[in-house]
Every structure is written in structure tokens, then in C-alpha cells.
């Protein structure tokens, strides 16, 4: 009797484990699926690096962390940061910053970063009007 209960528990846990971990239920994925997953992970790593380089360039251009803080989106998930994929292996980030202790954004920074890590500060100055005449 005890053996049947143990077997039933083992079977239930195995089934539950396969349901929780889909990779275990189908260990052989299609090559295209694996390639897409690798590409997505690689792009997220590169985009996150680019976001960090853009934020750091703005911090340097504005006198360091004692004088400047970038908006929260430049510290969070890279895919949710204010960027444009230029389609040529570069991303352009346009974001705002403020002085520590303030809650008013006063600086706009535009930085372009390549996948290789080249950084160009395209604009760093007063916040421009986003509604052209």
C-alpha cells in the first residue's frame, strides 16, 4: 500500500513538474525557435548595455551624479526605455534629467549608441518643445 502511495505521489509531482517547466515537456525545440530565442536574448543584452552607456554619457555630460539624475525609464527594463532602433545597428535614446533633490526635469539628452558600444551625445541641453509649430 505504501509503495502505491509513493508511486502516485511521484507520478503527480512529475506531471506537475513537466507542466511548470515547458522546456522539459518538449526538450527538442525547432532550430528556428531556438535561433529566435537566442536572438531576442542577445538583443536584450545589447539594448540594455546601450541604455546604460547612454545614461552614463548623460551623467558625465551633466557633471556627474552629484549634479544630475536621468529619468527612471533609463534605470528600468531596457525594452521600456525611450529609444528608437535606427535599423543600422544603433539605438537613439531621448530622455530627460533633473538635479538631485528636485522633481522638475530641466535637461533633455539625446544619445546614439552602436551595438559595438560607440556613444555619441547628439544633444544635451534645455528641454525642447516636443510640439513643432
Amino acid at each position: 500500500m505504501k509503495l502505491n502511495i509513493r508511486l502516485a505521489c511521484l507520478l503527480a509531482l512529475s506531471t506537475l513538474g513537466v507542466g511548470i517547466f515547458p522546456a522539459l515537456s518538449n526538450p527538442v525545440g525547432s532550430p528556428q525557435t531556438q535561433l529566435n530565442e537566442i536572438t531576442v536574448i542577445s538583443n536584450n543584452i545589447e539594448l540594455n548595455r546601450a541604455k546604460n552607456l547612454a545614461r552614463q554619457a548623460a551623467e558625465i555630460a551633466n557633471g556627474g551624479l552629484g549634479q544630475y539624475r536621468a529619468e527612471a525609464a533609463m534605470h528600468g527594463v531596457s525594452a521600456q526605455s525611450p529609444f528608437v532602433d535606427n535599423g543600422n545597428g544603433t539605438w537613439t535614446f531621448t530622455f530627460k534629467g533633473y538635479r538631485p533633490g528636485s522633481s522638475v526635469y530641466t535637461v533633455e539628452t539625446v544619445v546614439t549608441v552602436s551595438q559595438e558600444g560607440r556613444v555619441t551625445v547628439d544633444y544635451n541641453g534645455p528641454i525642447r518643445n516636443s510640439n513643432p509649430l
Side-chain angles (χ1 to χ4, degrees), residues 50 53-55 57-58 86 91-95 109-113 118-123:
L53 289 171
R55 187 188 69 245
N86 297 319
W91 296 279
T92 300
F93 296 84
T94 302
F95 55 98
T109 305
V110 180
V111 180
T112 301
V113 181
R118 287 187 307 274
V119 177
T120 304
V121 177
D122 302 314
Y123 177 79

Side-chain angles (χ1 to χ4, degrees), residues 50-61:
K51 176 198 69 168
N52 289 335
L53 289 171
R55 187 188 69 245
Q56 291 166 358
E59 290 166 353
I60 291 167

Side-chain angles (χ1 to χ4, degrees), residues 58-59 62-75 95-109 124-125 127:
E59 290 166 353
N62 290 290
L65 289 173
Q67 302 295 317
Y68 173 85
R69 296 286 195 279
E71 66 179 272
M74 292 303 288
H75 296 277
F95 55 98
K96 297 174 183 158
Y98 57 92
R99 291 185 60 81
S102 174
S103 60
V104 178
Y105 293 112
T106 57
V107 178
E108 178 180 349
T109 305
N124 186 60
I127 297 174

Side-chain angles (χ1 to χ4, degrees), residues 46 50 84-92 112-118:
E46 291 169 355
V84 174
D85 185 338
N86 297 319
N88 61 358
T90 65
W91 296 279
T92 300
T112 301
V113 181
S114 73
Q115 289 180 355
E116 295 80 28
R118 287 187 307 274

